[in-house]
Amino acid sequence: MTNPLRNLINVTCFLFLYSLSTDSMAQKAKVQKLDKRKYDIEIRETTTEGKKYEKDVFEFTPKEIVSDYFENKFKVPTLHYKTVKDSTYTEDGDELKYFGVSAKEKTDKAEEFFYLDAVIKGREITGKIAYKKGETVKKTWEFEGTQNN
């Protein structure tokens, strides 16, 4: 003879554990949405007049943006980012993704940070980067580009 209370407890435990595992998988999938995307960008220092745009590639990993420009110039190979907005919109009948991205990366020196704010609309990316020492902004950049994969 089976105990109905025991069966109810077993089913409840199973459903609870199943819901935890699917929530965990959904959160992992959300983190990966920008993973493996690459953007050909043009970046320009805005604190120095007359500077021309330089070409670079921003490559997104699950938690970082990889940039040769910042690695070569400042020895900061990655910027750790977080997605602050993730939505979908329709333009000309096509459903496109919209991401707001924010990053902050400390340099090897005390109280020196890079801050990045970017907007990704469909395949286009635009944004600004600031280099601060303490509370003082030392340099700023702007960039724009297109997804290349």
Side-chain angles (χ1 to χ4, degrees):
M1 227 176 168
T2 61
N3 184 344
L5 182 59
R6 186 177 191 158
N7 287 343
L8 180 63
I9 291 171
N10 286 341
V11 169
T12 304
C13 287
F14 172 77
L15 291 174
F16 176 73
L17 292 173
Y18 178 77
S19 70
L20 285 178
S21 68
T22 55
D23 284 349
S24 174
M25 288 187 294
Q27 287 176 355
K28 278 187 177 180
K30 186 171 185 171
V31 170
Q32 306 269 334
K33 287 185 180 180
L34 289 172
D35 186 24
K36 298 181 183 172
R37 288 190 186 199
K38 292 182 183 180
Y39 293 86
D40 291 326
I41 66 159
E42 292 183 338
I43 188 166
R44 178 177 74 92
E45 186 179 332
T46 54
T47 46
T48 306
E49 293 298 322
K51 281 270 189 169
K52 293 182 180 179
Y53 281 94
E54 294 186 43
K55 295 192 181 297
D56 191 23
V57 174
F58 279 3
E59 180 178 351
F60 283 81
T61 70
K63 297 179 183 177
E64 300 172 327
I65 301 170
V66 179
S67 165
D68 289 340
Y69 181 86
F70 283 95
E71 182 171 17
N72 294 336
K73 291 198 179 245
F74 304 104
K75 307 301 182 225
V76 177
T78 62
L79 299 167
H80 289 80
Y81 74 91
K82 63 181 178 179
T83 304
V84 294
K85 181 151 178 116
D86 177 353
S87 63
T88 305
Y89 69 100
T90 304
E91 184 176 287
D92 297 330
D94 292 329
E95 191 173 280
L96 302 170
K97 291 298 291 177
Y98 177 98
F99 295 99
V101 177
S102 178
K104 178 181 177 181
E105 194 66 41
K106 186 179 185 323
T107 69
D108 292 338
K109 299 176 184 172
E111 297 189 34
E112 291 184 354
F113 292 91
F114 284 95
Y115 296 88
L116 174 139
D117 288 307
V119 171
I120 300 169
K121 293 172 79 174
R123 297 181 56 82
E124 305 298 315
I125 186 170
T126 59
K128 295 183 183 225
I129 301 170
Y131 168 65
K132 291 184 178 181
K133 186 171 184 177
E135 292 300 314
T136 306
V137 175
K138 295 292 186 177
K139 290 185 179 188
T140 58
W141 296 263
E142 61 184 16
F143 61 89
E144 58 187 38
T146 305
Q147 186 176 348
N148 69 13
N149 61 342

